[in-house]
Amino acid sequence: MGANYVFSLQPTFTQGLIFGQLSILVLLVFVLKYLFMDSTKYPFETTSYHPRINSDSIMRSQKPYNQASGESELSKADESAEWLNSLLHQIVGTYRSKLRNDLPGPGGDEVARKRVEDYANKIRPASFLDKIVVHSVDLGSSAPHLCNGRRVHPSPSSNPQEIEFDVNYVDSVSISLSTSYLFNYPMPLFARLPVALTISLSLFKSSVTITPPIHTSPAPTLTFSISPTFTLDLTTMSLMGSRAKLANVPKLHDLIQHQVHRVLATKGVWKVVLPGLATVDEVKQEVKNELADAAPS
């Protein structure tokens, strides 16, 4: 009768097969948990991987904008946009300065780093992503460059006054951070997979349409929209695991680039509130109404 049971005092082929499968499964769990993952709360306290981007090592495919230079390699058609590029450069520089609380040197770097870290932890999915630690932030030194300004051909669905530009943006913008992916199965906080990332911008290229205020709009705004077929190239350096580390995983790079591309494509329209003509709340309400009208009934 003993041969009719899976488990008996005398070893059988069935028992050996089941025991072998369980042994492989247990070994796999231990390899993942204790080799690549980490059960400690602060896995990066014992690792030296805190990369910092050296802006001099990032190759630029275009020269940074030089405000003091009287020479220009642009064609005569592009020279008319130089005043707009100068204005844009000043606006971007002002935002960079305010992100640093107008502080130069390491003091300003720390202010910008802390602000980015606070925002990243505010929007992170806490259910499967541990606290994000931002090690360094490079806000860059250049600005998007506009060229080839042209009127958009009138059509029933477009404003005849719309202006379209080609935009290229190459800069040293980067962020270096570390966090852990949380595994909550088979129990909450079963294990952590430490992840360290350095993400930097290589190239952003698109066409940008500028739409002036519409007179009949209850909340007139100046609208900027990017083409849905824009080009985005990011450079990603990654390190995954605790004791054994996987470096520069291609799938992780593809995932990050896809997510950034998706966010830009979803939020590819920016409305600038004009003082005296509208308020931020009025513009938000108008955007909600437009989305409601566009939604399928």
Side-chain angles (χ1 to χ4, degrees):
M1 295 293 293
N4 295 328
Y5 293 91
V6 174
F7 296 100
S8 64
L9 295 178
Q10 184 177 359
T12 65
F13 174 78
T14 303
Q15 291 178 12
L17 179 62
I18 295 176
F19 180 78
Q21 296 294 331
L22 289 176
S23 300
I24 294 176
L25 181 60
V26 171
L27 180 61
L28 180 60
V29 170
F30 274 90
V31 167
L32 289 176
K33 180 173 177 60
Y34 295 104
L35 193 59
F36 290 102
M37 300 179 191
D38 196 288
S39 59
T40 61
K41 188 174 182 180
Y42 304 105
F44 282 97
E45 288 184 348
T46 58
T47 178
S48 60
Y49 184 80
H50 296 316
R52 290 183 179 272
I53 285 291
N54 182 359
S55 59
D56 293 336
S57 64
I58 299 178
M59 300 300 296
R60 292 175 170 82
S61 63
Q62 69 178 37
K63 296 181 180 180
Y65 178 75
N66 186 354
Q67 185 181 4
S69 175
E71 298 179 356
S72 175
E73 297 179 357
L74 300 174
S75 64
K76 291 184 178 180
D78 296 335
E79 290 178 357
S80 60
E82 280 303 282
W83 68 269
L84 187 56
N85 284 315
S86 177
L87 178 63
L88 183 60
H89 190 275
Q90 294 296 327
I91 292 174
V92 173
T94 301
Y95 273 102
R96 286 195 184 103
S97 180
K98 295 307 177 184
L99 282 173
R100 300 165 56 90
N101 276 356
D102 298 327
L103 296 176
D109 293 341
E110 176 58 22
V111 170
R113 185 204 67 80
K114 188 65 169 59
R115 284 186 169 178
V116 173
E117 183 177 85
D118 291 343
Y119 179 75
N121 282 288
K122 181 180 179 181
I123 64 173
R124 72 180 171 92
S127 59
F128 61 85
L129 202 62
D130 205 356
K131 180 181 178 181
I132 298 174
V133 178
V134 175
H135 303 292
S136 64
V137 173
D138 187 344
L139 299 178
S141 59
S142 185
H145 187 86
L146 302 176
C147 62
N148 298 330
R150 55 199 179 273
R151 287 176 178 263
V152 176
H153 295 294
S155 66
S157 60
S158 67
N159 189 326
Q161 300 301 318
E162 288 181 349
I163 304 297
E164 192 174 59
F165 289 91
D166 293 331
V167 59
N168 290 276
Y169 184 37
V170 179
D171 206 345
S172 59
V173 176
S174 66
I175 180 173
S176 175
L177 59 89
S178 61
T179 184
S180 293
Y181 185 87
L182 304 178
F183 289 82
N184 297 312
Y185 185 84
M187 63 186 66
L189 299 179
F190 171 71
R192 289 177 170 86
L193 177 62
V195 180
L197 293 170
T198 299
I199 307 170
S200 56
L201 174 68
S202 295
L203 171 66
F204 176 80
K205 185 176 182 179
S206 178
S207 62
V208 176
T209 301
I210 302 177
T211 305
I214 300 176
H215 306 310
T216 57
S217 173
T221 57
L222 185 65
T223 305
F224 298 83
S225 57
I226 64 174
S227 169
T229 58
F230 62 87
T231 298
L232 175 68
D233 288 332
L234 300 176
T235 299
T236 305
M237 293 185 292
S238 63
L239 200 62
M240 301 175 61
S242 176
R243 292 166 179 82
K245 294 179 172 60
L246 302 176
N248 299 330
V249 180
K251 287 296 183 182
L252 184 59
H253 166 78
D254 294 341
L255 175 63
I256 293 172
Q257 176 138 326
H258 172 75
Q259 291 298 323
V260 175
H261 193 285
R262 182 183 64 83
V263 170
L264 286 177
T266 303
K267 301 181 179 181
V269 178
W270 290 269
K271 294 180 177 291
V272 179
V273 178
L274 300 179
L277 296 180
T279 64
V280 174
D281 292 336
E282 289 174 343
V283 173
K284 287 183 178 180
Q285 185 59 46
E286 186 176 28
V287 171
K288 290 181 180 179
N289 294 339
E290 291 176 356
L291 293 176
D293 295 338
S297 55

